[in-house]
mmCIF file of all heavy atoms in Angstrom:
data_model
loop_
_atom_site.group_PDB
_atom_site.id
_atom_site.type_symbol
_atom_site.label_atom_id
_atom_site.label_comp_id
_atom_site.label_asym_id
_atom_site.label_seq_id
_atom_site.Cartn_x
_atom_site.Cartn_y
_atom_site.Cartn_z
ATOM 1 N N HIS A 55 -9.770 14.437 -26.603
ATOM 2 C CA HIS A 55 -9.458 14.729 -28.012
ATOM 3 C C HIS A 55 -7.948 14.848 -28.233
ATOM 4 O O HIS A 55 -7.378 15.921 -28.107
ATOM 5 C CB HIS A 55 -10.168 16.020 -28.431
ATOM 6 C CG HIS A 55 -10.100 16.320 -29.898
ATOM 7 N ND1 HIS A 55 -10.993 17.167 -30.522
ATOM 8 C CD2 HIS A 55 -9.251 15.916 -30.879
ATOM 9 C CE1 HIS A 55 -10.699 17.258 -31.804
ATOM 10 N NE2 HIS A 55 -9.635 16.522 -32.047
ATOM 11 N N VAL A 56 -7.307 13.713 -28.550
ATOM 12 C CA VAL A 56 -5.878 13.754 -28.885
ATOM 13 C C VAL A 56 -5.623 12.967 -30.171
ATOM 14 O O VAL A 56 -6.336 12.024 -30.496
ATOM 15 C CB VAL A 56 -4.968 13.187 -27.761
ATOM 16 C CG1 VAL A 56 -5.299 13.779 -26.413
ATOM 17 C CG2 VAL A 56 -5.025 11.676 -27.701
ATOM 18 N N HIS A 57 -4.586 13.395 -30.872
ATOM 19 C CA HIS A 57 -4.130 12.652 -32.058
ATOM 20 C C HIS A 57 -2.802 11.996 -31.690
ATOM 21 O O HIS A 57 -1.779 12.672 -31.622
ATOM 22 C CB HIS A 57 -3.979 13.596 -33.246
ATOM 23 C CG HIS A 57 -5.282 14.264 -33.604
ATOM 24 N ND1 HIS A 57 -6.192 13.692 -34.475
ATOM 25 C CD2 HIS A 57 -5.851 15.410 -33.167
ATOM 26 C CE1 HIS A 57 -7.262 14.483 -34.568
ATOM 27 N NE2 HIS A 57 -7.082 15.531 -33.783
ATOM 28 N N MET A 87 -8.039 10.019 -31.474
ATOM 29 C CA MET A 87 -8.832 10.230 -32.689
ATOM 30 C C MET A 87 -8.420 9.245 -33.792
ATOM 31 O O MET A 87 -7.278 8.823 -33.862
ATOM 32 C CB MET A 87 -8.654 11.663 -33.168
ATOM 33 C CG MET A 87 -9.412 12.652 -32.317
ATOM 34 S SD MET A 87 -11.171 12.262 -32.377
ATOM 35 C CE MET A 87 -11.775 13.270 -31.036
ATOM 36 N N ASN A 89 -8.217 9.631 -37.140
ATOM 37 C CA ASN A 89 -7.716 10.111 -38.450
ATOM 38 C C ASN A 89 -6.232 9.805 -38.594
ATOM 39 O O ASN A 89 -5.435 10.648 -38.942
ATOM 40 C CB ASN A 89 -7.982 11.613 -38.620
ATOM 41 C CG ASN A 89 -7.278 12.461 -37.572
ATOM 42 O OD1 ASN A 89 -6.984 11.989 -36.484
ATOM 43 N ND2 ASN A 89 -7.001 13.709 -37.904
ATOM 44 N N LYS A 139 -16.367 8.928 -34.329
ATOM 45 C CA LYS A 139 -16.001 10.263 -34.798
ATOM 46 C C LYS A 139 -16.453 10.431 -36.238
ATOM 47 O O LYS A 139 -16.218 9.561 -37.084
ATOM 48 C CB LYS A 139 -14.480 10.429 -34.725
ATOM 49 C CG LYS A 139 -13.955 11.798 -35.194
ATOM 50 C CD LYS A 139 -14.292 12.882 -34.181
ATOM 51 C CE LYS A 139 -13.858 14.264 -34.637
ATOM 52 N NZ LYS A 139 -12.481 14.577 -34.343
ATOM 53 N N TYR A 141 -16.346 13.277 -39.418
ATOM 54 C CA TYR A 141 -15.787 14.517 -39.962
ATOM 55 C C TYR A 141 -16.720 15.021 -41.062
ATOM 56 O O TYR A 141 -16.887 14.353 -42.077
ATOM 57 C CB TYR A 141 -14.384 14.263 -40.541
ATOM 58 C CG TYR A 141 -13.353 13.896 -39.487
ATOM 59 C CD1 TYR A 141 -13.148 12.564 -39.118
ATOM 60 C CD2 TYR A 141 -12.607 14.879 -38.846
ATOM 61 C CE1 TYR A 141 -12.211 12.226 -38.149
ATOM 62 C CE2 TYR A 141 -11.667 14.550 -37.872
ATOM 63 C CZ TYR A 141 -11.474 13.225 -37.532
ATOM 64 O OH TYR A 141 -10.545 12.901 -36.570
ATOM 65 N N THR A 145 -10.065 17.908 -43.017
ATOM 66 C CA THR A 145 -9.025 18.255 -42.052
ATOM 67 C C THR A 145 -7.976 17.168 -42.208
ATOM 68 O O THR A 145 -8.075 16.362 -43.138
ATOM 69 C CB THR A 145 -9.622 18.369 -40.618
ATOM 70 O OG1 THR A 145 -8.623 18.882 -39.732
ATOM 71 C CG2 THR A 145 -10.137 17.049 -40.098
ATOM 72 N N HIS A 174 -16.622 16.583 -35.924
ATOM 73 C CA HIS A 174 -15.830 17.714 -36.425
ATOM 74 C C HIS A 174 -16.812 18.473 -37.311
ATOM 75 O O HIS A 174 -17.060 18.098 -38.450
ATOM 76 C CB HIS A 174 -14.618 17.183 -37.211
ATOM 77 C CG HIS A 174 -13.865 18.239 -37.958
ATOM 78 N ND1 HIS A 174 -12.690 18.793 -37.492
ATOM 79 C CD2 HIS A 174 -14.106 18.838 -39.141
ATOM 80 C CE1 HIS A 174 -12.252 19.695 -38.364
ATOM 81 N NE2 HIS A 174 -13.091 19.735 -39.376
ATOM 82 N N ALA A 209 -16.648 18.714 -31.154
ATOM 83 C CA ALA A 209 -15.209 18.937 -30.960
ATOM 84 C C ALA A 209 -14.873 20.412 -31.169
ATOM 85 O O ALA A 209 -15.580 21.140 -31.868
ATOM 86 C CB ALA A 209 -14.411 18.078 -31.949
ATOM 87 N N HIS A 210 -13.787 20.827 -30.532
ATOM 88 C CA HIS A 210 -13.125 22.132 -30.717
ATOM 89 C C HIS A 210 -14.042 23.303 -31.112
ATOM 90 O O HIS A 210 -13.994 23.803 -32.227
ATOM 91 C CB HIS A 210 -11.943 22.015 -31.684
ATOM 92 C CG HIS A 210 -12.141 21.213 -32.949
ATOM 93 N ND1 HIS A 210 -13.227 21.347 -33.753
ATOM 94 C CD2 HIS A 210 -11.351 20.290 -33.556
ATOM 95 C CE1 HIS A 210 -13.099 20.545 -34.789
ATOM 96 N NE2 HIS A 210 -11.973 19.878 -34.696
ATOM 97 N N GLU A 233 -16.567 20.636 -26.229
ATOM 98 C CA GLU A 233 -15.262 21.001 -25.671
ATOM 99 C C GLU A 233 -14.758 22.262 -26.358
ATOM 100 O O GLU A 233 -15.100 22.539 -27.513
ATOM 101 C CB GLU A 233 -14.246 19.878 -25.955
ATOM 102 C CG GLU A 233 -13.946 19.797 -27.452
ATOM 103 C CD GLU A 233 -13.287 18.547 -27.972
ATOM 104 O OE1 GLU A 233 -13.500 17.453 -27.416
ATOM 105 O OE2 GLU A 233 -12.564 18.669 -28.985
ATOM 106 N N ASN A 256 -7.471 23.660 -37.306
ATOM 107 C CA ASN A 256 -8.900 23.632 -37.617
ATOM 108 C C ASN A 256 -9.690 23.386 -36.339
ATOM 109 O O ASN A 256 -9.342 22.459 -35.607
ATOM 110 C CB ASN A 256 -9.212 22.504 -38.603
ATOM 111 C CG ASN A 256 -8.577 22.738 -39.953
ATOM 112 O OD1 ASN A 256 -8.369 23.858 -40.368
ATOM 113 N ND2 ASN A 256 -8.236 21.645 -40.637
ATOM 114 N N ASP A 283 -7.160 18.719 -28.290
ATOM 115 C CA ASP A 283 -6.991 18.550 -29.738
ATOM 116 C C ASP A 283 -5.488 18.544 -30.061
ATOM 117 O O ASP A 283 -5.037 19.206 -30.997
ATOM 118 C CB ASP A 283 -7.728 19.626 -30.539
ATOM 119 C CG ASP A 283 -7.748 19.308 -32.039
ATOM 120 O OD1 ASP A 283 -7.320 18.206 -32.414
ATOM 121 O OD2 ASP A 283 -8.185 20.172 -32.821
ATOM 122 N N HIS A 284 -4.740 17.815 -29.227
ATOM 123 C CA HIS A 284 -3.286 17.673 -29.425
ATOM 124 C C HIS A 284 -3.051 17.098 -30.827
ATOM 125 O O HIS A 284 -3.350 15.941 -31.076
ATOM 126 C CB HIS A 284 -2.746 16.729 -28.341
ATOM 127 C CG HIS A 284 -1.303 16.388 -28.475
ATOM 128 N ND1 HIS A 284 -0.306 17.273 -28.147
ATOM 129 C CD2 HIS A 284 -0.684 15.270 -28.903
ATOM 130 C CE1 HIS A 284 0.871 16.719 -28.350
ATOM 131 N NE2 HIS A 284 0.672 15.493 -28.818
ATOM 132 N N ALA A 285 -2.570 17.935 -31.736
ATOM 133 C CA ALA A 285 -2.464 17.553 -33.153
ATOM 134 C C ALA A 285 -1.043 17.811 -33.656
ATOM 135 O O ALA A 285 -0.773 18.796 -34.333
ATOM 136 C CB ALA A 285 -3.479 18.324 -33.978
HETATM 137 ZN ZN1 ZN B 3 -8.484 16.928 -33.618
#
Side-chain angles (χ1 to χ4, degrees):
H55 189 159
V56 311
H57 300 272
M87 285 300 167
N89 62 335
K139 180 72 183 275
Y141 293 89
T145 188
H174 170 100
H210 44 47
E233 68 197 31
N256 294 331
D283 190 7
H284 175 75

